[in-house]
């Protein structure tokens, strides 16, 4: 099911539940005098709304920051491998071509194969790790044979280490990042916050029904946005392979 379809269903469901409860209460003959709503209920409702707004804001900031970190790690991985390929120019043709071929093989595998696997299973593959280790072993195990190679050797090993570290970070960021207890608090807080609408004894006037519907739509949308950002590599607003495709334009990479 498309995530946009899920969003529409979630918004309509939240709106329908709130409106249905209001209408059913009125049809059931529940008579309430809104002029007699105690001030303490209004105060508690306001405080619950403020606290829940803070929680929502922190959750949105957390998942957005995690997505940004995942994007930075991916760019660092792609940039490090691009520089490894470029710095290999100082080596003899046979070794240079081998290093570049291995870098291209790793990038192609990550974009065309591992990316889909990571989105579905929330983890990186052993095959990708083996391909990156192969590049590292080739560079580290070959002693420099000239001054130019000596100057390029340490930067290349550092760049491969950076790519490996960025890959590990990508593996840790794959899959949902929000703990289950946080989701329990977010959903429970939404139920309580919406439930306080009825403590205020809203009526079935068009104005109050529209406001109640808009409020429920807003909360449902914010919860969906947090869920969408929660998995940086697998949902509609996710990190893409653009850094690899931009830095390795000659490869046949999926967009």
């Amino acid at each position: 099911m498309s995530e946009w379809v899920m969003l529409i269903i979630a918004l309509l469901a939240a709106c329908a539940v709130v409106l249905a409860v209001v209408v059913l209460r009125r049809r059931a003959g529940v008579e309430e005098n809104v002029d007699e709503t105690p001030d303490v209920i209004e105060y508690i409702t306001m405080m619950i709304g403020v606290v829940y707004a803070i929680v929502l804001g922190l959750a949105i900031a957390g998942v957005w920051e995690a997505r940004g970190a995942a994007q930075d790690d991916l760019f660092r991985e792609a940039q490090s491998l691009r520089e490894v390929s470029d710095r290999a120019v100082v080596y003899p043709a046979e070794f240079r071509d081998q290093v570049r071929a291995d870098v291209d093989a790793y990038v192609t595998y990550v974009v065309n194969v591992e990316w889909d696997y990571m989105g579905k299973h929330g983890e990186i593959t052993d095959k990708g790790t083996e391909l990156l280790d192969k590049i590292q072993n080739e560079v580290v195990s070959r002693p420099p044979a000239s001054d130019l190679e000596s100057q390029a050797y340490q930067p290349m090993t550092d760049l491969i280490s950076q790519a490996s570290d960025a890959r590990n970070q990508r593996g840790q960021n794959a899959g949902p990042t929000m703990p289950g207890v946080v989701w329990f608090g977010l959903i429970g807080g939404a139920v309580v916050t919406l439930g306080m609408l009825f403590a205020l004894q809203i009526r079935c006037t068009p104005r109050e029904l529209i406001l109640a519907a808009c409020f429920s739509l807003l909360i449902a949308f914010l919860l969906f946005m947090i869920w969408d950002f929660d998995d940086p590599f697998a949902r509609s607003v996710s990190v893409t392979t653009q850094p690899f495709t931009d830095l390795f334009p000659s490869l046949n990479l999926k967009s």
Side-chain angles (χ1 to χ4, degrees):
M1 181 185 298
S2 170
E3 292 175 13
W4 292 106
V5 175
M6 292 175 59
L7 172 60
I8 294 174
I9 293 175
L11 295 177
L12 293 178
C15 183
V17 168
V18 172
L19 295 182
V21 172
V22 175
V23 174
L24 290 176
R25 290 184 67 202
R26 297 295 296 176
R27 289 187 176 181
V30 179
E31 297 294 338
E32 296 171 333
N33 187 354
V34 296
D35 296 328
E36 296 181 358
T37 300
D39 293 338
V40 67
I41 291 183
E42 296 182 0
Y43 176 77
I44 292 174
T45 301
M46 179 186 67
M47 292 306 300
I48 290 175
V50 170
V51 171
Y52 188 62
I54 295 174
V55 173
L56 278 176
L58 291 174
I60 293 173
V63 294
W64 180 259
E65 183 179 358
R67 182 186 180 279
Q71 182 72 60
D72 292 341
D73 289 335
L74 184 67
F75 179 80
R76 184 158 56 96
E77 181 182 1
Q79 181 65 39
S80 297
L81 292 171
R82 177 73 264 179
E83 291 189 26
V84 168
S85 184
D86 292 341
R87 288 178 181 271
V89 69
V90 301
Y91 286 93
E94 183 178 357
F95 182 76
R96 178 191 65 219
D97 294 343
Q98 182 62 46
V99 170
R100 290 179 172 176
D102 290 340
V103 170
D104 292 348
Y106 171 78
V107 172
T108 302
Y109 176 81
V110 168
V111 176
N112 293 349
V113 179
E114 187 176 59
W115 200 263
D116 291 337
Y117 180 90
M118 186 173 59
K120 294 178 181 178
H121 299 87
E123 60 182 6
I124 56 179
T125 64
D126 294 336
K127 176 67 174 179
T129 303
E130 292 174 1
L131 291 174
L132 187 58
D133 289 343
K134 181 181 179 183
I135 301 171
Q136 186 174 31
N137 293 334
E138 284 178 348
V139 174
V140 172
S141 61
R142 186 184 188 282
S146 65
D147 290 339
L148 285 177
E149 292 183 16
S150 297
Q151 295 174 12
Y153 177 80
Q154 190 60 49
M156 286 182 67
T157 57
D158 291 342
L159 288 168
I160 296 173
S161 296
Q162 290 179 20
S164 179
D165 178 67
R167 173 181 173 78
N168 292 334
Q169 291 295 325
R170 175 160 59 85
Q172 293 177 7
N173 291 328
T177 57
M178 190 78 72
V181 66
V182 177
W183 276 113
F184 178 81
L186 289 174
I187 296 175
V191 173
V192 173
T193 303
L194 291 175
M196 292 304 294
L197 290 174
F198 309 113
L200 293 175
Q201 302 177 5
I202 62 175
R203 296 165 297 184
C204 285
T205 62
R207 179 177 61 182
E208 292 179 343
L209 289 178
I210 290 174
L211 288 175
C214 291
F215 186 62
S216 62
L217 287 173
L218 176 61
I219 291 181
F221 173 76
L222 292 176
L223 289 176
F224 178 85
M225 185 170 62
I226 294 172
W227 173 83
D228 203 18
F229 287 158
D230 187 33
D231 193 337
F233 297 104
R235 294 180 181 147
S236 61
V237 188
S238 62
V239 177
T240 66
T241 58
Q242 192 68 32
F244 283 119
T245 56
D246 288 344
L247 294 174
F248 295 88
S250 61
L251 300 181
N252 184 24
L253 303 178
K254 295 194 302 185
S255 57

